[in-house]
Amino acid sequence: MGFAINLKNAETDANNYLHFNPRFDEGCVVRNSRLDEAWGDEERDGDMPFAPGQPFLIKITPTVDAYEVEVNGSPFISYNHRDGMPLCDVTHIAMWGDITLYGIHVPLNSLPIPMVLRIPKNTFYGDMLVFTGEVPSGADRFHVNFQCGAKEDADIMYHFNPRFPDNAIVCNNRCADSLDVCAACSVVIDGDIKLESVTIDCPPVRFPAHIPDIDIDAFDDKTVQALRATTPVTMALPGGFGPGKGVFVSGKVSDSPSRFEINLLYGDSDMDIALHFNPRWEPGSELVMNSREGGNWGEELREENPIAAGSEVAVHILCLDDRYVLIVDGDEVAAFPHRMDCSQVTNVSVDGSITVHRMLGM
């Protein structure tokens, strides 16, 4: 059991310049290289900085002599370049194994144009690709295409094309009506633009592996999301809502919080709230849940507040046939019966003593 990160010079049948391979069953991280189909000597020294089920951040910085690897902000290993394997030949990064990949970030002073970027496992609802760069003076136009493959005649699901002389942004597609953006496996960027970094950011959340009496597999996988939202924030749920749907909110609670709230709304006002999830710290610590119909609040339900001041928190709200189930940091903490038609929920809002990292509608 484990996973691997490989720096290569091609997508297939490639030399492997850095093979970084945590192996949980062996309690070590194996590093190696492969040149002309022959593996070199393995390096296994160092502690095991990874644990099953725990998030991590890996940073690989190439230098003249080696790859410097940090894990969760701490230096881990230095892996010297092997003979005959210069850094300048590396063109691809590949990953496989027992891992849920949340994001890839590639920062450079300047990325080559045109750029063709392969999307791991195609695009998916909730994925975000972030490009940062600069448009040079006198630019005519550039484009970003989400398409099936890298060829010029490939189907294009989404064509984003700023045109500066016309002061216009043109959006289009060139594919069969039956194809949607989730069929895209490549992004092609070309034109008058200087790219500085690319980030592939996938939803950092999966439903908890097992919650008693809930069929997790019944929930939809399609997601919409908002990142680093400033509260108050309201996000639409364009895929509809009801049994088999859910909402996820993650963030950091203020160090000295009063309260925050997550609301499932009819429309974008607060006159009709199917579920009001409201952790409070003042005057006392408790979790209050309620609903509001036509501006009138119902009877409050109160539970012990499971969220600590100043903590990072992840909240799932899962909609079942007869109730909402509230899950905080993987543990079921409360349930709230349907008082209003859950299929009429169209928006989710967050406000109060929390910095929102991400909102997902699933």
Side-chain angles (χ1 to χ4, degrees):
M1 186 174 74
F3 65 92
I5 299 173
N6 300 302
L7 301 183
K8 306 163 63 178
N9 67 344
E11 188 168 341
T12 58
D13 300 325
N15 292 326
N16 199 330
Y17 292 70
L18 170 62
H19 173 68
F20 185 86
N21 179 205
R23 301 180 184 178
F24 298 109
D25 55 343
E26 299 179 34
C28 67
V29 179
V30 175
R31 290 89 64 192
N32 206 343
S33 298
R34 187 179 68 176
L35 178 63
D36 297 329
E37 300 185 357
W39 286 101
D41 294 330
E42 291 183 347
E43 299 180 14
R44 291 172 168 255
D45 56 298
D47 297 331
M48 179 58 158
F50 305 97
Q54 297 301 311
F56 62 83
L57 175 66
I58 298 173
K59 180 180 178 181
I60 301 174
T61 304
T63 67
V64 173
D65 299 317
Y67 299 98
E68 305 292 341
V69 182
E70 295 181 9
V71 177
N72 297 330
S74 299
F76 176 53
I77 58 100
S78 179
Y79 182 80
N80 292 330
H81 300 301
R82 298 286 173 92
D83 291 341
M85 307 191 76
L87 171 65
C88 61
D89 287 347
V90 174
T91 58
H92 290 67
I93 182 171
M95 280 156 278
W96 53 261
D98 302 309
I99 181 175
T100 298
L101 184 64
Y102 295 161
I104 305 171
H105 180 58
V106 184
L108 293 172
N109 290 333
S110 180
L111 294 169
I113 296 294
M115 169 178 252
V116 179
L117 179 67
R118 176 71 180 271
I119 303 171
K121 295 186 179 179
N122 298 4
T123 50
F124 193 71
Y125 295 96
D127 290 352
M128 298 186 74
L129 279 79
V130 181
F131 308 96
T132 59
E134 179 182 340
V135 177
S137 176
D140 179 55
R141 65 181 64 186
F142 71 89
H143 66 254
V144 179
N145 291 339
F146 287 76
Q147 58 189 62
C148 285
K151 296 182 179 179
E152 291 187 4
D153 60 352
D155 287 329
I156 299 174
M157 286 70 198
Y158 180 56
H159 172 73
F160 176 80
N161 179 209
R163 301 179 183 179
F164 301 101
D166 299 333
N167 194 30
I169 295 177
V170 176
C171 300
N172 209 337
N173 65 354
R174 188 183 68 196
C175 63
D177 292 340
S178 59
L179 294 176
D180 68 11
V181 71
C182 286
C185 66
S186 298
V187 176
V188 177
I189 305 139
D190 199 3
D192 300 322
I193 186 173
K194 178 183 176 182
L195 275 181
E196 296 174 352
S197 71
V198 176
T199 301
I200 301 174
D201 192 348
C202 303
V205 59
R206 299 293 182 267
F207 285 125
H210 176 67
I211 298 295
D213 302 324
I214 299 176
D215 182 8
I216 295 298
D217 293 334
F219 283 79
D220 283 350
D221 290 328
K222 296 181 179 180
T223 66
V224 294
Q225 66 177 322
L227 279 173
R228 299 289 173 178
T230 301
T231 53
V233 59
T234 299
M235 184 181 73
L237 302 170
F241 201 74
K245 299 284 188 176
V247 166
F248 171 84
V249 176
S250 68
K252 184 180 186 303
V253 179
S254 302
D255 291 335
S256 298
S258 171
R259 62 182 66 189
F260 76 85
E261 61 189 55
I262 303 173
N263 296 316
L264 301 183
L265 306 172
Y266 287 13
D268 56 6
S269 77
D270 61 357
M271 294 298 291
D272 293 290
I273 303 174
L275 170 64
H276 173 70
F277 174 85
N278 182 207
R280 300 177 183 178
W281 290 267
E282 295 179 355
S285 182
E286 60 183 345
L287 170 62
V288 176
M289 294 169 291
N290 207 341
S291 60
R292 189 182 194 189
E293 191 167 7
N296 298 312
W297 287 104
E299 181 181 355
E300 292 182 342
L301 299 183
R302 295 173 181 261
E303 301 281 353
E304 181 180 351
N305 187 355
I307 302 172
S311 65
E312 300 275 348
V313 66
V315 179
H316 287 87
I317 301 175
L318 308 184
C319 183
L320 305 187
D321 289 333
D322 59 347
R323 67 194 188 281
Y324 300 102
V325 173
L326 291 308
I327 299 170
V328 174
D329 297 330
D331 295 322
E332 182 178 345
V333 298
F336 187 81
H338 291 312
R339 298 175 177 176
M340 301 163 61
D341 184 357
C342 59
S343 67
Q344 298 300 308
V345 171
T346 60
N347 292 270
V348 57
S349 71
V350 182
D351 197 5
S353 304
I354 186 171
T355 299
V356 175
H357 291 168
R358 188 177 301 234
M359 299 167 60
L360 293 172
M362 299 171 286

